[in-house]
Amino acid sequence: MSVLKITDVSKVFAGNTVAVDKFSLDVADGELVCLLGPSGSGKSTLLRMVGGFERPSGGVITIDGEEITHLSPEKRPTGMVFQSHALWTHMNVFKNLAFGLKLRRLPADEIKRKVEAVLELVGLAGYGNRLTHQLSGGQQQRVALARSLVLEPKILLLDEPFASLDQHLRERLREEVRDIQQRLKITTLFVTHGQDEALSMADRIVVMRDGRTEQIDRPDVVYRDP
Ligand code: ADP
Ligand code: ADP
């Protein structure tokens, strides 16, 4: 069953740059789809439109059949993790994660329970009191992921989340994120320009070029003829 439905979505920026050109995609429940393509192919713009950070020039995006185009990012059932994690450096890890739950006025004991569970999930149990700038790059990116997951989004949006990390760490986090994604069975859109990343993580790969789909298939099919 498809959870996320993107239909004929376009984005034209001022100056007539067509970043996304009548793009359509159905993402099934629990599926991880990679948007793969060279720089400038429209991946990030597309993801930002799903997350509500960019308004489509045309087309329709629905989640569970409900049109979301008019909703602000915080009202959408989506959680976005950016390339640079933008954690709040003046707050400890716990408060970084608790912040969104407090806005939702959850009781303190429930916040504590949820935050501790998600810290455990990303391998940072016991790190609640650390300040984020005391953490390594990989740990900070895990916190950023945890901060999205703790709000229990229906769809997880990852925009090159490992781009600032070294190769070794990237490979490790890739496995961790895929593992978490499968455990939670959370529907995920993942933007990358790295073929190996797409290959190792995706259920399906959308190869993008000039704002359109060039190819869409399972990793083993996309890479059959390199
Ligand atoms: P990718 O994520 O694949 O690198 P982007 O979605 O960032 O591609 O960009 C697609 C195209 O849209 C590029 O030509 C880029 O220059 C343009 N673009 C992206 N954001 C803006 C913006 N805010 N204003 C104008 N043009 C933009
Ligand atoms: P503020 O007053 O700025 O809103 P608080 O200092 O009261 O924030 O902390 C918010 C909640 O988070 C409190 O219930 C506090 O006990 C809890 N908290 C803060 N850090 C941790 C932590 N490392 N582990 C568990 N609970 C924490």
Side-chain angles (χ1 to χ4, degrees):
M1 202 194 66
S2 104
V3 167
L4 170 66
K5 221 171 157 58
I6 302 169
T7 310
D8 286 338
V9 165
S10 297
K11 179 69 188 182
V12 184
F13 285 110
N16 257 358
T17 306
V18 181
V20 175
D21 191 6
K22 294 200 169 164
F23 181 95
S24 296
L25 175 70
D26 279 12
V27 183
D29 196 8
E31 191 179 25
L32 189 155
V33 173
C34 265
L35 304 174
L36 173 70
S39 178
S41 56
K43 311 181 295 293
S44 186
T45 301
L46 182 65
L47 203 72
R48 293 168 62 81
M49 288 193 285
V50 177
F53 299 95
E54 206 81 71
R55 180 186 287 274
S57 312
V60 177
I61 302 171
T62 64
I63 293 176
D64 281 338
E66 194 196 341
E67 160 119 48
I68 57 157
T69 329
H70 60 287
L71 297 176
S72 60
E74 61 277 5
K75 295 241 166 70
R76 295 188 181 204
T78 51
M80 186 122 164
V81 179
F82 297 93
Q83 180 172 342
S84 62
H85 30 71
L87 297 172
W88 297 299
T89 52
H90 60 289
M91 295 185 201
N92 68 20
V93 169
F94 186 95
K95 287 186 181 181
N96 264 275
L97 301 192
F99 189 80
L101 297 172
K102 276 188 163 185
L103 288 181
R104 292 184 181 178
R105 304 191 178 282
L106 263 63
D109 57 339
E110 201 179 331
I111 291 179
K112 191 163 187 292
R113 189 173 52 73
K114 282 182 189 281
V115 169
E116 282 171 0
V118 83
L119 281 176
E120 174 93 43
L121 182 71
V122 300
L124 289 177
Y127 281 73
N129 284 319
R130 302 285 191 93
L131 290 173
T132 56
H133 70 259
Q134 297 169 330
L135 302 176
S136 70
Q139 288 171 336
Q140 290 185 25
Q141 208 46 282
R142 289 186 187 96
V143 174
L145 176 66
R147 191 173 58 176
S148 278
L149 290 177
V150 79
L151 297 173
E152 296 167 12
K154 183 90 199 167
I155 315 251
L156 183 62
L157 304 171
L158 304 169
D159 192 357
E160 306 233 17
F162 314 137
S164 63
L165 306 173
D166 68 50
Q167 179 66 20
H168 175 70
L169 198 52
R170 262 208 305 269
E171 282 169 18
R172 228 177 74 195
L173 272 170
R174 204 190 272 175
E175 281 174 29
E176 286 181 24
V177 169
R178 177 60 160 158
D179 181 57
I180 289 168
Q181 184 267 333
Q182 289 186 320
R183 274 204 272 169
L184 297 177
K185 298 184 173 61
I186 184 168
T187 309
T188 302
L189 265 186
F190 188 109
V191 161
T192 181
H193 61 263
Q195 298 195 349
D196 49 345
E197 208 154 277
L199 182 58
S200 66
M201 291 184 72
D203 294 311
R204 275 192 305 155
I205 296 174
V206 177
V207 181
M208 285 186 74
R209 184 171 300 276
D210 299 333
R212 299 184 203 181
T213 300
E214 188 173 71
Q215 193 183 357
I216 173 166
D217 226 317
R218 295 198 321 268
D220 54 318
V221 179
V222 171
Y223 286 102
R224 202 157 41 201
D225 295 311

